[in-house]
Amino acid sequence: MYRCFTPGAGACIDSRSVRPKCIFFGLPGARVDGADYARAALAAGARLAVVERADLEGVEGVVVVPNAREALQQVALLHRDTLRIPIVAITGSNGKTTTRLLTVAALATELKVWGTEGNLNNDLGVPLSLLGLQPGIDIAVLELGANHPGEIRALCQIARPTHGLITGIGNAHLEGFGSLEGVAHAKGELFEYLKETGGLAFVNGDDKLVVQMAQRVHMGCMASSYTRAAYRAQGHLDANGFLSLEFTWASRQYMVNTQLAGLYNIPNVLAAIHVASYFGVEMPRVVEGISQYHPENNRSAIVQRGERRLLVDCYNANPTSMRAALESFFSLPSQEEKVAILGEMRELGSASRASHAEIVELLREHPDVGVVLVGKEWSGLEGDYPRFDSCEACKDSLQSYLPNGVLVLLKGSRGVELEKLLEIL
């Protein structure tokens, strides 16, 4: 099967995104069986269609396998063996996508870089990203996501990273990990893999749990640590809410003016600076790349809508990222009235009630900030705030609640779909 793979053509699991000479993997799903689209994929130019359906045996261009998902991973592994470039894996509870995109932006000023596309960071996305690597690439930056123990290790077995970074460890996906310690050990699987294979870890020395995971596997000289103190990094928000970071490198001072919202992005910017400089990118070019990065997918973006200013960070949320976003929002110097529209935090399991209560307690410490809560997890908690079960339910009331000239924070888990509110804001 791999003999039919064409570097540059890649692979896909959606017949609508077929490229000439790619391999189409028709995966069975809960609602749709990808095998139903095998003929359409071949007609669109796919070289092969890999499916699990025996009734397609003998159809020209179709390969029937026991497990199409495993076949995709196996082809990706075979392709990985042909690559002779550094592969940097990034994981963490918060900021991994932003860190990955910033790192790619910084590296791309001097190197040919390939990065995870969109949110392809699971056991399907990682092999698709590997198979999408274009010829002539100098370095790849892949994102690894997980919500259960063992997933990071499994993804490492596919991606086989030579370098790795854990952005930070916080209370995310507690439903799957069980506890903060469970999160730490699961993310630490990246460091374990690098230790076993002789790779190098970029260690966020400002995150105690990340440091503990590095110490647990005795990274030693196989680690490159970075801290705010080492870079003498000082961050601040300008009048429009954009983050600027002043830092020192090789006895010279630099200032990077980002297009990101929130002081909580300081560790993400610092990680990108550290990784890019490690791979030899000149610091002025690093600053240039990061400065030119535009936030995407409703992450840390500042949007002007008429007289309203929106801080849009509603791609995902957990107790750690929610608290960081709110504290940055509270500290933002502004003459505008502030309103926080918060979606519920999901996948917290038994910790959900207490986690939402802690956020409400934080909100009550800032009575001058308006609050709108979206999602059933907020129900029954203290505070006289407008509450709605869904975005659709609050749309009609929101327009009258928000005056012009207001500064709005949108923060919540992806499943709440807070981005729908952008239609009326």
Side-chain angles (χ1 to χ4, degrees), residues 282-330:
E282 294 295 326
M283 194 55 70
R285 303 285 282 166
V286 172
V287 169
E288 176 188 345
I290 293 174
S291 297
Q292 292 178 354
Y293 166 70
H294 290 267
E296 56 186 56
N297 294 330
N298 300 312
R299 290 182 173 95
S300 300
I302 298 177
V303 180
Q304 191 72 41
R305 290 290 176 86
E307 297 180 16
R308 290 177 184 152
R309 195 153 46 110
L310 313 178
L311 277 60
V312 184
D313 193 17
C314 55
Y315 189 86
N316 217 335
N318 58 57
T320 304
S321 67
M322 181 72 82
R323 177 174 289 274
L326 283 170
E327 289 177 346
S328 179
F329 185 58
F330 296 149

Side-chain angles (χ1 to χ4, degrees), residues 2-60:
Y2 181 67
R3 288 176 298 178
C4 296
F5 174 71
T6 303
C12 69
I13 57 175
D14 187 334
S15 61
R16 295 168 295 183
S17 58
V18 165
R19 294 186 296 273
K21 297 184 179 181
C22 78
I23 299 180
F24 170 72
F25 290 85
L27 306 176
R31 297 181 180 178
V32 176
D33 187 349
D36 292 339
Y37 300 91
R39 289 185 173 88
L42 292 168
R47 172 167 285 182
L48 285 182
V50 182
V51 302
E52 297 180 13
R53 286 248 301 275
D55 60 298
L56 293 175
E57 189 85 57
V59 175
E60 186 177 357

Side-chain angles (χ1 to χ4, degrees), residues 119-372:
N119 198 36
L120 296 177
N121 63 9
N122 61 9
D123 66 333
L124 292 177
V126 170
L128 287 171
S129 292
L130 282 171
L131 293 172
L133 271 165
Q134 301 295 309
I137 293 297
D138 297 317
I139 186 171
V141 183
L142 301 182
E143 181 178 327
L144 308 185
N147 54 25
H148 288 88
E151 286 187 86
I152 295 296
R153 171 166 286 278
L155 294 176
C156 285
Q157 296 295 341
I158 298 172
R160 297 178 184 172
T162 57
H163 301 74
L165 184 148
I166 301 174
T167 58
I169 294 171
N171 290 311
H173 301 296
L174 294 181
E175 191 172 34
F177 294 129
S179 65
L180 184 60
E181 290 72 21
V183 176
H185 278 264
K187 301 301 181 182
E189 291 168 10
L190 174 57
F191 286 174
E192 291 174 359
Y193 177 84
L194 293 171
K195 174 68 174 180
E196 293 166 5
T197 57
L200 183 135
F202 300 109
V203 179
N204 179 0
D206 292 321
D207 189 301
K208 293 181 180 179
L209 288 175
V210 171
V211 173
Q212 288 176 15
M213 290 305 101
Q215 292 173 339
R216 181 170 63 87
V217 296
H218 308 293
M219 294 301 302
C221 62
M222 297 163 63
S224 175
S225 180
Y226 61 95
T227 64
R228 293 192 199 185
Y231 277 87
R232 300 179 187 173
Q234 298 289 332
H236 70 272
L237 303 177
D238 67 17
N240 294 312
F242 292 108
L243 170 67
S244 292
L245 186 70
E246 184 178 355
F247 65 96
T248 300
W249 170 257
S251 301
R252 288 188 59 187
Q253 279 195 324
Y254 295 89
M255 173 73 81
V256 54
N257 298 309
T258 80
Q259 298 174 59
L260 295 164
L263 294 170
Y264 53 87
N265 274 303
I266 292 175
N268 304 331
V269 174
L270 198 58
I273 290 170
H274 188 71
V275 174
S277 64
Y278 175 87
F279 285 106
V281 180
E282 294 295 326
M283 194 55 70
R285 303 285 282 166
V286 172
V287 169
E288 176 188 345
I290 293 174
S291 297
Q292 292 178 354
Y293 166 70
H294 290 267
E296 56 186 56
N297 294 330
N298 300 312
R299 290 182 173 95
S300 300
I302 298 177
V303 180
Q304 191 72 41
R305 290 290 176 86
E307 297 180 16
R308 290 177 184 152
R309 195 153 46 110
L310 313 178
L311 277 60
V312 184
D313 193 17
C314 55
Y315 189 86
N316 217 335
N318 58 57
T320 304
S321 67
M322 181 72 82
R323 177 174 289 274
L326 283 170
E327 289 177 346
S328 179
F329 185 58
F330 296 149
S331 68
L332 184 63
S334 173
Q335 299 301 314
E336 302 156 295
E337 180 182 346
K338 296 179 182 178
V339 176
I341 303 175
L342 306 180
E344 65 186 358
M345 302 172 289
R346 297 187 174 178
E347 298 184 55
L348 296 179
S350 60
S352 182
R353 188 70 175 173
S355 297
H356 283 83
E358 288 175 6
I359 296 300
V360 168
E361 192 60 35
L362 175 62
L363 293 170
R364 295 181 69 197
E365 295 174 7
H366 297 269
D368 56 319
V369 175
V371 176
V372 176

